[in-house]
Amino acid sequence: MNTTNLPVKKTAFLAVLAAVSLTACSSIGPAAAGDPTGSSSAAASAAASPGPASGTAAPASAAPVPSVKPDQIQTRLTDFQLISDAAGFAWGETNGSLRLYRTDDGGRNWTLLSPWDDTLKSGAPVAGGSLYFLDARHGWTAAADAGRKTVTAFTADGGQSWTKGTLDKATYAAGLSFADPLHGWMLTSSDAAMGKSEKTLYATDNAGQDWKPLTSVSMDKPVPGALPLSGHASGMTFKDASSGWIALAGHEEKPVLYRTRDGGKTWNNVPMKIPQELNDSPVTLDGAPVFFKDEPDKGWIPVRTVSGNTDSRDAYVTKDGGETWSFKRTGMQNALTFADSLHGWGFKDKVLHATSDGGTTWNPVSSDPVLTDTLKNNPNVIRLGFAGPQTGWLLLGSEDGKKSKLLKTSDAGRHWILL
């Protein structure tokens, strides 16, 4: 549900006719090289990919050609980023190495992309964490190499080629966001200890060829106007070259949101009110703020709420471009997502629900045999994302974590097909 969708030319499909059908990569089974591991959606908040970008990408070029034989494209998928009705990316890992795939025809055919070789153990990143696509052509990723350097890579041609670089110290990317193809930000963090972690924010103005540190906070040197030591980043979004938000989660179990108005140089805490009945309950931000492409002043943040024995997915919503946020209960239990300010989906009691009034009311979606059948053996909802009010993807996983299934709907969730 990335909010920046660029059309992919029909002619680009010819370049991928030999690519594998996703049946090869989502049918799910461990790769011959080993059984990959992955992440859950909360990460996902399921949510959604980081917020929109306001820039205009360069004209589309031919899609990348398949780089491996079809029978080599097998890995358990752990995440995805849906760009448009036709274009999207899905990925997993094999023996700790990233397996990244691209489709330009709605999931019928797939191309394996290679940001780096298997010597770099990048694992299976979370969308918007250490892997982010602004549109169908521009993408960035980061990982630590064997020498503990942080290696970055970016593409401007949909993954056909990648340009690599390194950061000035060993760390890992906790958030990536771009306002346009040139201007972007990378938040890096150390491993959290006692609810605290070092954080450094880097910025680029040349598409990721160079990253310059903007601000940092270490365990022994907190900086006024910088991000706090406490908490770890659950998501980062830049709406434009000046305005950005970072959501933090930590041991305090309360919603923490920081905002910048100067491109990331200084940060201030944003007040986040919660309903009085939840004052004693854990309420944490579960992903990056998302602003809708066609409604740039409206957006939402996924929230995880634990009240009594109920673990639910709720939201903070804004109608003024992120100046203020209000809490909205949804009653959903898994994979809450919104395509725009009115249309959203989520799971409750293993049943898909939908709203068309911004989350005020939710109704079960009529049962679909394909979805019902797939959920029996793959009950773990990893990620749900929509490119618009009609087209969405759903990634499910088996209980033992060894298999996954990717499904697609073209009618707002009423019917599903296996990809």
Side-chain angles (χ1 to χ4, degrees):
M1 70 178 281
N2 188 302
T3 53
T4 303
N5 302 334
L6 295 183
V8 178
K9 290 188 176 181
K10 298 273 186 184
T11 53
F13 296 170
L14 298 177
V16 293
L17 288 179
V20 177
S21 165
L22 184 57
T23 302
C25 60
S26 77
S27 87
I28 319 278
D35 179 30
T37 60
S39 61
S40 87
S41 163
S45 85
S49 314
S54 55
T56 302
S61 64
V65 296
S67 57
V68 295
K69 296 179 181 179
D71 60 358
Q72 290 176 305
I73 303 180
Q74 278 196 339
T75 195
R76 180 176 61 85
L77 299 178
T78 58
D79 209 347
F80 67 77
Q81 189 174 340
L82 183 56
I83 303 296
S84 67
D85 289 352
F89 301 85
W91 59 86
E93 66 172 312
T94 297
N95 288 339
S97 298
L98 175 66
R99 292 292 182 269
L100 172 63
Y101 304 93
R102 167 190 170 129
T103 181
D104 294 299
D105 58 7
R108 289 189 294 273
N109 297 285
W110 294 81
T111 300
L112 178 65
L113 310 179
S114 300
W116 31 55
D117 61 38
D118 288 352
T119 62
L120 199 148
K121 302 301 182 183
S122 53
V126 173
S130 57
L131 179 59
Y132 173 71
F133 281 88
L134 173 66
D135 51 49
R137 289 169 48 83
H138 299 88
W140 296 262
T141 187
D145 66 8
R148 296 301 302 159
K149 290 182 180 178
T150 299
V151 183
T152 65
F154 74 90
T155 180
D157 56 15
Q160 185 172 355
S161 61
W162 296 82
T163 301
K164 298 179 180 64
T166 57
L167 296 186
D168 58 356
K169 64 178 181 179
T171 183
Y172 70 90
L176 275 167
S177 183
F178 273 71
D180 58 55
L182 292 178
H183 299 89
W185 296 260
M186 185 191 318
L187 179 67
T188 67
S189 179
S190 65
D191 293 331
M194 299 297 291
K196 299 180 179 181
S197 64
E198 296 181 355
K199 303 175 183 69
T200 302
L201 182 68
Y202 293 82
T204 180
D205 58 7
N206 59 7
Q209 296 181 56
D210 301 292
W211 292 94
K212 299 177 181 178
L214 280 182
T215 182
S216 64
V217 56
S218 66
M219 293 301 204
D220 55 353
K221 294 181 180 180
V223 179
L227 296 168
L229 285 173
S230 59
H232 62 273
S234 60
M236 177 175 70
T237 295
F238 272 80
K239 195 167 182 278
D240 52 45
S242 299
S243 299
W245 291 260
I246 291 177
L248 297 174
H251 66 286
E252 295 177 356
E253 297 184 321
K254 295 299 178 185
V256 179
L257 183 67
Y258 274 73
R259 177 177 181 171
T260 181
R261 299 176 186 270
D262 57 11
K265 297 182 181 69
T266 60
W267 295 83
N268 294 290
N269 184 266
V270 178
M272 304 293 283
K273 295 181 180 179
I274 61 176
Q276 186 173 358
E277 64 270 20
L278 295 177
N279 279 339
D280 297 324
S281 301
V283 179
T284 56
L285 302 185
D286 208 20
V290 178
F291 294 90
F292 304 119
K293 177 187 176 184
D294 298 327
E295 305 169 285
D297 286 336
K298 296 181 179 181
W300 75 292
I301 306 174
V303 178
R304 181 177 180 180
T305 305
V306 180
S307 180
N309 295 324
T310 303
D311 188 345
S312 64
R313 298 299 183 270
D314 298 307
Y316 276 98
V317 297
T318 183
K319 297 180 180 179
D320 56 14
E323 294 294 330
T324 59
W325 299 86
S326 57
F327 189 85
K328 181 177 286 291
R329 295 298 299 264
T330 71
M332 296 300 103
Q333 298 166 339
N334 298 99
L336 179 68
T337 190
F338 286 89
D340 53 39
S341 63
L342 295 177
H343 300 90
W345 296 262
F347 277 85
K348 181 180 180 181
D349 298 326
K350 299 184 179 180
V351 175
L352 180 67
H353 286 64
T355 180
S356 58
D357 59 11
T360 301
T361 59
W362 293 83
N363 296 298
V365 180
S366 56
S367 178
D368 173 69
V370 174
L371 176 58
T372 302
D373 230 17
T374 309
L375 278 167
K376 291 178 181 177
N377 294 320
N378 301 272
N380 294 333
V381 181
I382 299 172
R383 182 183 285 276
L384 176 64
F386 276 74
Q390 299 297 317
T391 303
W393 288 358
L394 171 63
L395 181 59
L396 301 175
S398 60
E399 276 190 306
D400 61 9
K402 294 181 178 181
K403 299 180 180 180
S404 65
K405 294 282 187 180
L406 185 62
L407 299 90
K408 174 186 175 181
T409 180
S410 299
D411 59 4
R414 290 184 291 274
H415 299 90
W416 296 84
I417 60 172
L418 280 168
L419 296 180

